[in-house]
Amino acid sequence: MSVLVYTESEQGAFKKAAFEVASYAKAVANQLGTSVTAVAINTEDTSTLGHYGVDKILNINNDALQGFNAKIYASVLAQAAQNEEAKVIIVSSSANSKYVAPLLAASLQAGYASNVVKTPSNVSPFTVKRSAFTNKAFENIQINTEVKIVGVSNNAFGIVENPSNATSENFTPSIPESSTKVESVDKAVGKVTIADAEIVVSGGRGLKGPENWGMIEELADVLGAATACSKPVSDLGWRPHGEHVGQTGKPVASNLYIAIGISGAIQHLAGVNASKVKVVINTDPEAPFFKAADYGVVGDAFQVVPELIEKLKAFKAQ
Amino acid sequence: MKILVCISHVPDTTSKINFTEDKTTFDTNGVQFVINPNDEFGLTRAMWFKEKQGAHITVVNVGGPETEPTLRKALAIGADEAIRINTVATDGFSVAKQLAEVVTNGAYNLIIAGRESIDYNGGMVPGILAGLTSSNFVNNCMGLEIDGHSATVIREIDGGKETVSTSLPLVIGGQKGLVEESDLRIPNMRGIMMARKKPLNVVEPVASETKTSSLSFEKPAPKGAVTLVSPDNLDELINLLHNEAKVI
Ligand SMILES: Cc1cc2nc3c(=O)[nH]c(=O)nc-3n(C[C@H](O)[C@H](O)[C@H](O)COP(=O)(O)OP(=O)(O)OC[C@H]3O[C@@H](n4cnc5c(N)ncnc54)[C@H](O)[C@@H]3O)c2cc1C
Ligand SMILES: Nc1ncnc2c1ncn2[C@@H]1O[C@H](COP(=O)(O)O)[C@@H](O)[C@H]1O
């Protein structure tokens, strides 16, 4: 009755979130006095999981699982859970995990808590803290079912090294039919995504127009960051919708969030507040973002950002 | 086509979030409620199907009588009828169970829900509903076309989007992109008058159990004051981010 964790990969390599959920699973397993079993689908080298406390790896290699299909993946995870008699299943907060988890919950009749920010405060009854009201509050909830699913919020727990002797075995689940098929994927290659990013550089209407985003992208490049924007910026078509962050856009829970020319409206802040450190660059000292930020520069982005890029380059070169 | 649009009744995005004295329930005092933004995109897309392809739209909410103004607003925007399942929405599983009953009884083949509600951010009702009704399911839906029994969906993924083909019966978890912000409709006087005459059926819940229970709420710790750095001293900002915050 181990803790089962779904360790996601992309093109054969684990995603960063996989190591975070593995670390979290290890902490839960310690609380329960049990071991961690990871499910790895079409991953080339699974041995790295041994750095994060995984005891056993169920290796699944199957061409039918190339490309993510939520229904099929939910069935595979359910079979793995049954095989291991797992009572707790851990997933991440990636778009794919949030897609698969409710289907898994329905098939296992399991209680599911999403956006969980901490290890359980109690394992019997099983109680976790999750963020709610778009980060304006936390909710303590109890999962009452025998099988429990926990979705861990990005960057909430972090990656914790915990060397273990992970054994690996092949697992061959049956693959159900699905009439849902991915026809094409449109994804920028080599770009850090907002979901995975440790640092996010975000621009608002204060940047005046799409032609001024060169410096935002350059700043992001120097920092290895993802780029984001406020809602009006995407509504105006200056930036793609996928970059819109906030209450009605993507949530951001990075280690560092840099807001440039963003006023800090309540709907914007709600979506980015879970970031650990926030920096604001704005000409208006009265901009509400200064109340939510850790560090602030009252200044013109068109002067501050290029200078910051130069100084960061010098700093990185040291 | 029979479309069911699931409507979550949520505090307006500008609401201050407070809890009752014992911290066990959300304090609705002075809070204005609206249609969950993700559901508003879905409802507007449903209206497009109704006008361009012919469809009957039912909106549904699992909640007490206090959610009726929100359902009336959906009727004023153009839905044909509303159903309120008369029970307090507790956990996502039990809400999905109630909705599944409506889907089965009404033989709806397109169920439009939102990616998540902006209050509890569960992000689970549409997926569980799809699971319980053995429907196809596409989450993070930012584009939807229906042709007979086939559907083409644009799904947002981390870092991009993908095009998915699937078939009815289908549940979607919708979001912005289903329609543009500028396509959202504000009910006009005529719509509001007509909404008064449209049916709003109250049905009693089926028996269901909750899988999770909410125990208490907390507010984030108050934030310390911002540290201001002069624009002439950006080295100091780098120093603080490196040595104090340790994020670069
Ligand atoms: C239902 C609803 C949902 C919403 N959801 C979201 C959401 O999810 N995300 C979101 O972002 N918004 C959301 N909004 C919109 C939100 O209310 C604000 O309108 C929006 O966040 C403002 O964007 P902004 O800060 O880029 O623009 P503005 O408010 O116009 O602010 C621009 C800022 O740039 C500063 N500035 C100007 N020139 C410069 C310069 N040269 N250098 C530096 N700074 C400069 C200004 O001082 C100002 O503070 C929502 C609104 C509603 C009603
Ligand atoms: N009480 C409810 N009544 C009707 N639909 C709901 C209710 N709660 C959630 N939904 C639907 O499910 C979506 C996701 O909600 P949630 O899983 O609560 O984040 C919402 O956008 C609605 O479409």
Side-chain angles (χ1 to χ4, degrees):
Chain A
M1 66 138 280
S2 58
V3 171
L4 194 80
V5 56
Y6 170 39
T7 45
E8 286 163 88
S9 57
E10 195 164 50
Q11 276 147 8
F14 284 120
K15 292 175 58 166
K16 199 189 84 193
F19 303 132
E20 182 171 24
V21 287
S23 308
Y24 182 94
K26 176 65 183 173
V28 176
N30 283 346
Q31 283 177 278
L32 291 165
T34 180
S35 58
V36 177
T37 302
V39 181
I41 300 176
N42 292 339
T43 313
E44 274 148 32
D45 175 14
T46 56
S47 64
T48 39
L49 289 178
H51 300 314
Y52 309 104
V54 171
D55 300 291
K56 177 175 167 189
I57 300 157
L58 292 181
N59 241 317
I60 304 172
N61 284 295
N62 189 325
D63 280 346
L65 300 173
Q66 291 297 350
F68 176 82
N69 177 305
K71 179 182 170 194
I72 296 175
Y73 273 51
S75 160
V76 166
L77 291 173
Q79 291 173 60
Q82 275 146 2
N83 191 69
E84 295 295 304
E85 291 176 26
K87 296 291 175 273
V88 179
I89 304 170
I90 314 283
V91 299
S92 82
S93 288
S94 70
N96 286 354
S97 278
K98 284 198 160 179
Y99 188 4
V100 82
L103 294 173
L104 187 60
S107 89
L108 297 175
Q109 292 287 309
Y112 164 43
S114 58
N115 305 326
V116 170
V117 296
K118 271 211 164 91
T119 47
S121 58
N122 192 351
V123 288
S124 178
F126 198 91
T127 311
V128 286
K129 185 194 266 201
R130 59 184 299 274
S131 80
F133 294 95
T134 328
N135 300 313
K136 290 181 200 164
F138 297 105
E139 181 187 24
N140 293 303
I141 75 165
Q142 183 177 312
I143 308 181
N144 306 321
T145 45
E146 197 189 350
V147 179
K148 302 157 183 78
I149 304 175
V150 176
V152 184
S153 197
N154 290 338
N155 288 322
F157 186 72
I159 295 174
V160 181
E161 301 250 354
N162 219 327
S164 59
N165 280 323
T167 59
S168 177
E169 66 184 51
N170 288 329
F171 182 63
T172 42
S174 67
I175 310 289
E177 288 292 314
S178 168
S179 54
T180 302
K181 295 208 163 48
V182 175
E183 302 293 342
S184 65
V185 179
D186 176 5
K187 185 174 168 171
V189 280
K191 257 199 98 186
V192 187
T193 64
I194 293 171
D196 290 340
E198 282 174 31
I199 304 179
V200 174
V201 176
S202 189
R205 197 150 51 181
L207 291 170
K208 315 277 190 280
E211 65 282 4
N212 297 324
W213 246 264
M215 63 180 189
I216 300 295
E217 286 183 334
E218 196 179 349
L219 179 58
D221 264 358
V222 177
L223 291 167
T227 52
C229 68
S230 66
K231 177 168 175 287
V233 165
S234 71
D235 286 343
L236 288 162
W238 296 358
R239 297 296 291 177
H241 282 315
E243 285 198 1
H244 160 200
V245 296
Q247 190 159 19
T248 52
K250 281 205 178 59
V252 181
S254 53
N255 288 335
L256 173 61
Y257 182 77
I258 306 181
I260 303 166
I262 298 177
S263 58
I266 187 165
Q267 299 95 350
H268 185 87
L269 292 177
V272 305
N273 250 342
S275 293
K276 296 199 179 76
V277 175
K278 283 155 288 222
V279 174
V280 53
I281 300 170
N282 196 307
T283 41
D284 176 8
E286 300 297 322
F289 214 119
F290 284 101
K291 293 211 170 62
D294 302 280
Y295 303 100
V297 180
V298 179
D300 183 349
F302 296 99
Q303 275 153 22
V304 174
V305 175
E307 200 181 320
L308 186 60
I309 292 170
E310 289 319 309
K311 289 193 185 293
L312 277 168
K313 279 185 180 161
F315 166 77
K316 294 270 174 183
Q318 273 171 29
Chain B
M1 186 161 43
K2 282 190 80 179
I3 305 178
L4 184 70
V5 182
C6 304
I7 303 280
S8 182
H9 158 93
V10 298
D12 165 34
T13 56
T14 57
S15 307
K16 293 261 180 301
I17 303 301
N18 289 309
F19 301 97
T20 51
E21 200 72 359
D22 61 359
K23 304 275 180 276
T24 58
T25 17
F26 174 58
D27 184 354
T28 58
N29 236 321
V31 171
Q32 195 171 343
F33 281 84
V34 295
I35 299 175
N36 184 41
N38 291 317
D39 302 340
E40 203 178 350
F41 290 117
L43 175 61
T44 312
R45 188 64 194 163
M47 285 300 296
W48 187 93
F49 287 124
K50 175 174 163 171
E51 286 158 8
K52 298 282 170 20
Q53 299 184 341
H56 180 87
I57 306 175
T58 305
V59 288
V60 61
N61 172 264
V62 180
E66 69 283 1
T67 72
E68 288 192 3
T70 301
L71 285 173
R72 286 275 175 221
K73 185 177 171 201
L75 293 171
I77 288 171
D80 299 296
E81 62 176 304
I83 299 173
R84 179 172 68 80
I85 303 166
N86 187 27
T87 180
V88 179
T90 44
D91 76 330
F93 215 110
S94 58
V95 169
K97 179 102 195 271
Q98 301 303 335
L99 294 172
E101 192 69 15
V102 172
V103 170
T104 311
N105 292 341
Y108 294 96
N109 45 14
L110 176 62
I111 298 101
I112 302 182
R115 169 192 77 174
E116 69 168 18
S117 305
I118 63 165
D119 51 1
Y120 297 96
N121 312 114
M124 64 178 83
V125 168
I128 297 176
L129 174 60
L132 295 178
T133 55
S134 304
S135 308
N136 287 318
F137 173 48
V138 182
N139 206 5
N140 293 85
C141 174
M142 51 185 290
L144 175 65
E145 301 290 343
I146 305 287
D147 181 7
H149 274 272
S150 311
T152 307
V153 192
I154 313 285
R155 176 170 89 98
E156 179 163 47
I157 55 176
D158 289 332
K161 57 188 176 187
E162 62 185 22
T163 306
V164 177
S165 66
T166 185
S167 57
L168 304 183
L170 170 68
V171 178
I172 67 152
Q175 62 179 48
K176 182 176 144 184
L178 265 179
V179 298
E180 291 302 318
E181 187 83 19
S182 52
D183 297 328
L184 293 177
R185 303 175 187 202
I186 297 159
N188 58 23
M189 212 44 200
R190 187 162 168 269
I192 294 168
M193 297 302 287
M194 279 168 65
R196 292 196 187 143
K197 300 200 193 82
K198 291 178 180 172
L200 193 167
N201 305 312
V202 179
V203 301
E204 290 309 313
V206 292
S208 85
E209 47 169 322
T210 55
K211 310 271 181 204
T212 59
S213 11
S214 178
L215 302 178
S216 62
F217 293 93
E218 296 167 26
K219 299 238 273 182
K223 246 201 62 51
V226 61
T227 303
L228 287 180
V229 179
S230 153
D232 303 322
N233 192 10
L234 294 177
D235 284 319
E236 176 62 8
L237 179 63
I238 293 173
N239 173 39
L240 288 167
L241 292 178
H242 182 63
N243 293 314
E244 186 178 86
K246 300 195 176 14
V247 285
I248 61 170

